[in-house]
């Protein structure tokens, strides 16, 4: 059907699927390369994770035809409360002014399945599973990947969506920093006797943030429990009755009695940031470009904004008859995304370091900061709009 070379997407995680869906909506041919075999890849994640999807990200997913596949499983976030254990101060964001949810909590499986369902409607999107890439070659005329089986795939553009430990970032000459936090995130689901009312709670504790995220059904919530890396295994293997006691102490009593509802999973946390988001005919998106601390739930949303920006630049090039991989397209993409992603990376890093301790001077600073944000309406509205993802430089109707 197509004579033009395809876009090669390396990695079929959520960012890889989302960029494929966004570009496929422009009728661009896509080849998605995934290292897992198809049977393993198609299995549900079953890893306890849910994702925060900002209002802005949900609007982008809707514009790419995906959100309708996800919405039924998405719990609207109607309130956000941020609490520091060492301080009586807190911040309370609620949606009464906007009349819209601030975002949604979605099971990661629902997002994956929603993306796959939309991609299945495009005959110009193909998957290749069980692929081991030996080489990525980005020449002036095309980009190509050489596979372990000896085959070579040529394309007009490649998109790296292979995570914060990207296999090819350094090989392209793109310097990056990867800094372990020496923390692990435990992820699981709890049940509780009182309805959550759409409230997302973030407690800052000396050993790390503890988030309670409302899930569909009123009586289930997703937990992101950040702990020092050395002690996380103890909480993974702790007897369930003892673990429920720990949970009750950390959640508090606003949900009544709480108990573990799923298996517990643990993930090491690390910061990652690439010095540049492109090389010749190659763009980096999502965690391959920037990996942030999960405390604000903004990692997936940063990736969605990457994709929206990249697709906008590609669409502009198409409209004037230029190559979608010309240097200006990718240079503009990097320029437009670097500030937002760097600011979020530094902000989440600073907040984690500021709150994950018991130092008295920092406790006083936290108390002052929480009080100021909660009392000054313009400042509070600014943070709310960022949380909602509606401060972006472009909106879905522009693409």
């Amino acid at each position: 059907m197509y004579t033009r070379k395809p876009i090669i997407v390396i990695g079929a995680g959520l960012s890889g699927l989302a960029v494929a869906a966004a570009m496929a909506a422009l009728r661009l041919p896509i080849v998605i390369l995934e290292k897992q075999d198809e049977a393993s890849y198609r299995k549900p994640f079953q890893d306890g994770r849910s994702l925060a999807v900002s209002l802005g990200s949900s609007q982008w997913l809707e514009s790419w035809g995906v959100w309708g596949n996800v919405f039924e499983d998405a719990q609207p976030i109607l309130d956000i409360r941020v609490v520091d254990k060492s301080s009586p101060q807190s911040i309370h964001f609620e949606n009464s002014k906007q009349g819209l949810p601030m975002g949604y909590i979605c099971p990661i499986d629902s997002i994956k399945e929603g993306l796959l369902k939309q991609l299945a409607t495009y005959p110009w999107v193909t998957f290749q599973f069980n692929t081991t890439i030996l080489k990525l070659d980005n020449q002036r005329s095309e980009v190509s990947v050489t596979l372990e089986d000896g085959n070579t795939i040529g394309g007009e553009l490649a998109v790296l969506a292979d995570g914060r430990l990207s296999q090819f970032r350094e090989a392209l000459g793109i310097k990056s920093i990867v800094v372990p936090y020496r923390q692990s995130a435990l992820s699981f689901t709890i049940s509780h006797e009182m309805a959550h009312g759409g409230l997302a709670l973030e407690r800052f504790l000396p050993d790390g943030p503890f988030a309670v995220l409302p899930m569909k059904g009123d009586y289930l919530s997703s937990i992101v429990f950040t702990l020092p890396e050395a002690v996380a295994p103890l909480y993974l293997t702790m007897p369930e009755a003892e673990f429920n006691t720990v949970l009750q102490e950390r959640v508090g009593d606003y949900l009544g009695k709480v108990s573990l509802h799923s298996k517990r999973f643990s993930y090491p946390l690390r910061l990652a940031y690439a010095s540049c988001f492109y090389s010749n005919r190659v763009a980096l998106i999502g965690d391959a470009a920037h990996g942030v601390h999960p405390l604000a739930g903004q990692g997936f949303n940063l990736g969605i904004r990457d994709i929206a920006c990249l697709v906008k630049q590609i669409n502009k090039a198409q409209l004037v008859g230029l190559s979608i991989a010309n240097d200006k397209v990718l240079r503009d993409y990097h320029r437009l995304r670097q500030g937002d992603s760097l600011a979020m990376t530094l902000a989440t890093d600073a907040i984690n370091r500021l709150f994950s301790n018991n130092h008295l001077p920092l406790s006083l600073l936290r108390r002052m900061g929480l009080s100021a944000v909660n009392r000054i309406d313009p400042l509070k509205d600014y943070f709310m709009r960022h949380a909602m993802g509606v401060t972006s430089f472009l909106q879905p109707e522009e693409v």
Side-chain angles (χ1 to χ4, degrees), residues 75-262:
Q75 167 61 46
I77 301 172
L78 305 178
D79 298 270
I80 299 174
R81 189 177 293 275
V82 181
V83 179
D84 177 17
K85 186 176 182 180
S86 68
S87 168
Q89 301 291 339
S90 66
I91 306 175
H92 184 208
F93 300 103
E94 47 87 24
N95 72 326
S96 60
K97 288 186 179 180
Q98 283 76 16
L100 294 169
M102 286 171 277
Y104 302 85
I105 301 300
C106 305
I108 192 171
D109 275 324
S110 296
I111 299 174
K112 176 184 173 183
E113 291 305 315
L115 287 161
L116 288 171
K117 184 176 180 179
Q118 181 62 20
L119 288 170
T121 68
Y122 299 123
W124 47 89
V125 175
T126 59
F127 284 82
Q128 291 197 23
F129 295 99
N130 203 24
T131 58
T132 299
I133 302 172
L134 300 181
K135 184 180 180 182
L136 172 63
D137 193 6
N138 57 329
Q139 299 295 325
R140 299 307 304 179
S141 59
E142 74 166 11
V143 62
S144 64
V145 294
T146 302
L147 306 181
E148 188 177 46
D149 62 9
N151 289 325
T152 298
I153 301 172
E156 191 170 357
L157 172 72
V159 179
L160 291 189
D162 54 344
R164 63 189 70 189
L165 298 179
S166 174
Q167 178 183 355
F168 296 104
R169 190 171 53 212
E170 300 294 334
L172 291 169
I174 299 174
K175 295 181 180 180
S176 63
I177 58 170
V178 179
V179 181
Y181 276 113
R182 304 189 189 284
Q183 293 175 319
S184 293
L186 269 63
S187 181
F188 49 91
T189 302
I190 62 170
S191 58
H192 36 83
E193 64 179 355
M194 297 175 64
H196 52 58
L199 170 65
L201 176 70
E202 183 93 53
R203 292 191 186 277
F204 285 102
L205 305 172
D207 51 6
F210 182 89
V212 186
L213 308 173
M215 296 179 68
K216 196 78 170 182
D218 293 333
Y219 298 95
L220 293 176
S221 292
S222 178
I223 302 293
V224 181
F225 186 174
T226 305
L227 289 163
E229 195 172 45
V231 303
L234 300 177
Y235 286 85
L236 276 177
T237 57
M238 185 180 290
E240 187 169 323
E242 184 180 352
F243 190 71
N244 284 338
T245 301
V246 173
L247 280 177
Q248 192 71 65
E249 179 185 356
R250 292 188 177 244
V251 174
D253 59 5
Y254 80 101
L255 292 174
K257 185 179 180 181
V258 304
S259 58
L260 190 65
H261 185 75
S262 72

Side-chain angles (χ1 to χ4, degrees), residues 6 24 33 79 95 147 198 219 237 281 284 289 331 335 344 354 368 379 383 396:
L33 303 182
D79 298 270
N95 72 326
L147 306 181
Y219 298 95
T237 57
R281 290 188 176 272
L284 282 64
R331 186 174 63 249
R335 175 178 57 81
M344 183 61 70
L354 176 64
M368 293 169 59
L379 188 59
F383 282 109

